[in-house]
Every structure is written in C-alpha cells, then in structure tokens.
Amino acid sequence: MRKIKEFFIEKLILICGLASIFFVVLIFLFLLKEGLSVFITVSPFKFLFGKSWYPISEPAQLGILPLIMGSLLVTLGAAVISVPIGVGCAIYIAEVAPLKLKEILKASIELLVAIPSVVLGFIGMVTLVPLIKNVFHLPTGLTALSGSIMLAFMAMPTIVSIAEDALYSVPKNYKEGALALGATRWQMIWRVMLPAASSGIVAAIMLGIGRVIGETMAVMMITGNSAVLPKSILVPVRTLTATIAAEMGEAVVGSEHYFALFSIGIVLFIISFAINVTADLFLHKRQ
C-alpha cells in the first residue's frame, strides 16, 4: 500500500507540473494567435520603435516605444529604491536582529504582500502624489517617480523574504570560521555571507523586478497615463500593463487596436518570462 500511495503521489505531482507548463504554453499561443495579426498592417520595427501611440486615430499610430520606456523608467526607479533597502533589511533580519524581533519583522514584511495593489494605489494617490507635487513644485504629482516609489514598496517584501532565506541558508561554519579568524561582524557579513548568498540575493532582486514590471493597478492610478517619451522621472508616463488595463475594455474586437493590445501582452510575456528564467538560473547556480 505504501508503494502504491507513493506511486500515485509521484504521478499526481508530475501531472501538476506538466499541467502548469501546458497552461503557460496555451497562454502564449493564444497571445500569438491574437497579437501577430497586428503585423499585417504595421511592421514589427514600427510597432516596437514607433514614438506615437494613437490607436483610434485615422490612420492608427501603433508605436509602443513610449510605453516600453515608461515601463523601464518606472521599473528602474523602483529597483534603485527597493534593492538597497530590501537587501539591507534582509541582512538586518538574518544577522543582526534579536530572535524575537526577527520573527516579528519577517512576519510583518510577508504580510505586506497581501495588501491589494489597488489599495496601495489609492494610498499613493491620497498621500504620495500631493507630496511629490509640493516637494518638486510640479503641475501634477502623477509622475514616474510616484510610480517608482510605490512599486518599490510593493517589491521590497519579495526581495527581503527571499534574500533573508538565502542568507539564512549559508552554512554556519562559514560565519564561525570568519569570526574565528578575527573578522568583525560587519566584515563577516560583507566578505563572507553576501558572496556566499549572492545567487539567492540576485534571484530575489530579479523576482522583485518581475513583480514590479507586471504591476497594473497601482501604476495606472499614480503615473499619469501619458503615452509620450519621458524626458525625466518627474513627468507623467504610461506603462505597458496600464495600457492594456485601460484600453482593452474600449477596443473593438477584431480591430487594429484590439490586436495591438494583445501584441503588447506578447512583449510583456517575453519580458516577464526572461526575468523569471534569469532568476531561476541564479537561484540554482552552484559556485
């Protein structure tokens, strides 16, 4: 009976794994089926590098370069803010904080993931947007900087949690050996713990960035939704995800606009897939 149970459990796990791969492939094929139709009327080069996004004008202008640049700008800003703070928090929780405080901090940070993005977007509109407007004396606080700060807050729980696990998984004899050789606590963390956990920390950063680039509601609410090439981080921008969320309900089924939105989905799918594959490679890297 034990062997029979193990056999069925193994096959069930195998089926679940194959099913998840199958569903991802189906999603990608569906996006390809709907999205590639736009290239009948517009070339891939003009679609990816065109500077104007006016999908309902005559003729339609379907250049998504402003959307790509807006997504990259917001993502880069969020990474610059969240990575140092997130890794620093992970180091503090893993190596510095007392045991009781460590448990409280880790549970609190992981609970932040449960806050819906629309709630964070509303909080950003009420508090962060007016603050950015007043501090920088701008006509509007709906800027890429507002989106970067809010997305950094959303990415930090992922970065902190995974990076802390990576630091905790470093063998204790590494730490004990460094301290026994006369290293200070900071030298032990900087020269031993961080290099030993580097693959896990990089994976945490990549997964955090993946969370940022796929976010929709928060960026749609506080970035201004202006489909123009951004000249600085203090101007309104529009991201790829926000464009799909804002326009899919209004697009006529079978129109160029409709197919173009699915093509944006293909671009997002490829970017997210590349980020997750990179994170997985770093996570399983063996020095």
Side-chain angles (χ1 to χ4, degrees), residues 67-80:
L67 312 180
I68 295 174
M69 295 303 295
S71 296
L72 293 178
L73 183 61
V74 172
T75 302
L76 181 61
V80 169

Side-chain angles (χ1 to χ4, degrees), residues 82-218:
S82 63
V83 170
I85 298 175
V87 175
C89 288
I91 293 171
Y92 178 78
I93 293 172
E95 298 297 329
V96 180
L99 182 60
K100 290 184 179 180
L101 181 60
K102 174 181 177 178
E103 294 175 354
I104 295 172
L105 287 175
K106 189 167 184 182
S108 302
I109 289 171
E110 290 176 350
L111 281 174
L112 293 176
V113 183
I115 301 176
S117 61
V118 67
V119 174
L120 292 174
F122 177 72
I123 294 172
M125 288 183 66
V126 174
T127 59
L128 182 60
V129 169
L131 179 64
I132 296 294
K133 178 182 178 181
N134 295 330
V135 169
F136 294 98
H137 306 290
L138 301 172
T140 177
L142 298 171
T143 62
L145 179 60
S146 302
S148 296
I149 294 173
M150 187 54 62
L151 289 180
F153 180 79
M154 299 175 69
M156 273 193 287
T158 301
I159 295 174
V160 173
S161 181
I162 299 177
E164 192 273 335
D165 289 338
L167 288 167
Y168 184 77
S169 65
V170 175
K172 290 184 179 180
N173 57 354
Y174 284 24
K175 177 166 50 174
E176 293 169 353
L179 294 174
L181 289 170
T184 64
R185 195 172 195 179
W186 170 245
Q187 288 173 331
M188 178 269 295
I189 293 172
W190 181 253
R191 298 186 179 183
V192 177
M193 300 297 290
L194 288 179
S198 60
S199 59
I201 293 173
V202 173
I205 293 170
M206 298 299 292
L207 291 174
I209 292 174
R211 166 83 190 274
V212 165
I213 203 166
E215 186 50 52
T216 304
M217 289 306 299

